[in-house]
Every structure is written in C-alpha cells, then in structure tokens.
Amino acid sequence: MRYLRLIGIFWAASAAARMEYRAAFAVSIVAAFVETGGKLFGVYLFYASGYDLGGWRWQEALLVLGLAQMVDAFFVLIFQPNLRRISEMVQDGTLDFVLLKPVDSQFWMSVQQVGVVGLPYLALALGVVGYAGAASGLSPAGWLVLAVAAAGALLLAYALAFLFATTSIWFVKIFNVVFFLSSMIWSAQYPVQAYARPFRLFLTFVLPVYFMTTAPAELALGRAAGGASWAIFLVALGLFALSRAFWRFALRFYTSASS
C-alpha cells in the first residue's frame, strides 16, 4: 500500500506539471485520432483489395493492431518518461539521491513520471481491442486469456526496456535503444504470419515483439493453447526478475558524484 500511495503522489504531481501545457495535450488527442485512423485505414486497404494478412480475418488483424498500440501507449505513458532519466541521472550524478532514498530504486526510476500525452493513445487502443474482440466473438474465457496475455506482454516490454536502460551505467547515452524497441513494436502491428520468414524469426527470437502483439491475440482467438497465456506471463515474470538482478549488479559499477 505504501508503494501504491507513492505511485498516486508521483503521477498526480507529474500530471499536474505536464497539464500546464493544455494545448499540447489537446494536440495529442487530435494526433491520437489521426494516427489511429491512419493505421486502421492501412489495415482496411489490405482487406479491401482482397489480401488477407497471413490468413487472419479483418477483425482478428485489428486485435493485433490494438494490442500493438496498447503496448506503444505504455511506452509513451510510463516507460520512456522514466527510463530515459536513468541515462540523464548517471550522466549528471543525481542518481545518488535516488539510491539514498528509503524506497526501492528500481521502483523509483520506473514510475516517478507519467506521460499524459499517451492517455488518448491508450484509450483508443483499448477501444480497438474491445471492438475487435467483440467482432471476433471472444468468449468470457477468451477475454480472460487476452487479459492475462496482455499483462504478460506489458511486463515483458517493461523488462526488456529496463534491461536496455540499465546499460546506461556503462554506456551513458545508450537510451536510444529503448526508443528503438518502441519503434519496433509497430513493425509487429500486423500478424507476424504476414511477414517473410526471416523477418518473422527476427520478431520472434531476436526482438520478441511477437509475444507482445500477435501471441496474445492468437491465444485469445484459440489459435494457440490457452495455457500458453500463463506461460507468457511466467516468462515475463522471469525476465522482470532478471531486470531486477541486472539492476542490482549494474549499480556495483556506478561511480557516484560523491565517490
């Protein structure tokens, strides 16, 4: 409960500071509608011309698109505003002040800021997922599988992003790799079966964005064993544990401003 209260305090203060620029937030709402509409139109063009994306129906492909936007929205909301600060604080030595606080340092570095401009994208993403799931005829069990798999996908995305950001301890300006991971999410906005085999293997085993978009949709739609959703979540938990261990390991090599 103490950490939940801290999240509330952090996000309220961060949102208040960012909402000083209301015009920017209004522009982000318009941009979210334009970008989401453009992506939906792109999928529509494939199916209007009689081409299906790897054997997926229109509404099923929309489910993958909605999941991709949901993960990307969390990058804008939480991951990028916070994880980029690791590099900045290592560079100017202010990471010392975080390490001295009576709170878990990874928690502090992960949730202190919130990018409110990501809220419209998240709302539209959930709308697309809701419509696509209903149009695909998801059962209550299917929605549960989708929720578990989507939670695992978000945890997996966070763990990967934090692992990359942690390398800032050694390579100060490496944070662009996290932006690269965010951009690669959109390479999986279509079912991976629509891509050529080499790129499909890359999105699955090298940069596993397949598990953040296509895999949850496959599980919810019954294209894969339902128990695999729990497997994705467990793998994500394992990677999250690895990110914590790697963070503690990396801090041994942090040269503070006072040492």
Side-chain angles (χ1 to χ4, degrees):
M1 293 303 298
R2 172 171 172 255
Y3 281 89
L4 288 177
R5 287 195 298 271
L6 280 175
I7 290 176
I9 294 171
F10 288 157
W11 288 1
S14 178
R18 293 173 186 269
M19 287 303 291
E20 291 179 0
Y21 307 96
R22 293 180 177 83
F25 183 70
V27 170
S28 72
I29 295 176
V30 176
F33 275 96
V34 172
E35 289 184 28
T36 304
K39 294 180 177 72
L40 291 173
F41 184 66
V43 176
Y44 167 77
L45 288 178
F46 282 111
Y47 288 88
S49 61
Y51 179 79
D52 65 77
L53 296 170
W56 289 62
R57 294 181 297 160
W58 152 256
Q59 59 268 32
E60 295 173 342
L62 286 187
L63 186 59
V64 177
L65 177 65
L67 288 167
Q69 178 152 329
M70 182 187 70
V71 175
D72 187 63
F74 270 88
F75 267 92
V76 178
L77 269 171
I78 307 296
F79 303 160
Q80 290 176 1
N82 289 289
L83 300 188
R84 72 181 178 187
R85 299 182 69 242
I86 297 178
S87 176
E88 296 170 358
M89 298 181 83
V90 168
Q91 188 172 8
D92 59 25
T94 53
L95 184 59
D96 296 23
F97 301 112
V98 175
L99 300 178
L100 291 172
K101 295 182 185 299
V103 67
D104 184 85
S105 58
Q106 182 173 350
F107 169 83
W108 180 281
M109 297 303 303
S110 298
V111 301
Q112 192 187 17
Q113 302 288 329
V114 61
V116 293
V117 294
L119 288 174
Y121 293 90
L122 179 60
L124 289 173
L126 294 176
V128 172
V129 169
Y131 166 78
S136 300
L138 285 187
S139 64
W143 284 110
L144 176 61
V145 168
L146 180 64
V148 173
L154 292 174
L155 186 60
L156 179 62
Y158 162 76
L160 283 174
F162 194 84
L163 281 168
F164 284 131
T166 299
T167 61
S168 298
I169 299 292
W170 295 280
F171 313 105
V172 178
K173 296 187 178 181
I174 198 68
F175 185 73
N176 285 336
V177 177
V178 178
F179 284 97
F180 170 74
L181 178 61
S182 174
S183 65
M184 285 303 296
I185 296 297
W186 283 114
S187 65
Q189 63 179 307
Y190 305 126
V192 295
Q193 290 82 0
Y195 296 100
R197 183 176 178 81
F199 196 59
R200 193 186 315 164
L201 293 174
F202 175 80
L203 292 177
T204 303
F205 299 107
V206 180
L207 197 65
V209 294
Y210 158 76
F211 297 102
M212 304 175 199
T213 57
T214 302
E218 284 182 328
L219 292 164
L221 295 168
R223 289 173 171 262
S229 61
W230 299 101
I232 291 177
F233 192 76
L234 291 175
V235 169
L237 282 176
L239 197 60
F240 172 72
L242 176 62
S243 73
R244 288 189 60 78
F246 187 58
W247 172 249
R248 290 194 295 269
F249 172 77
L251 288 178
R252 299 177 185 177
F253 298 88
Y254 170 62
T255 302
S256 70
S258 59
S259 66

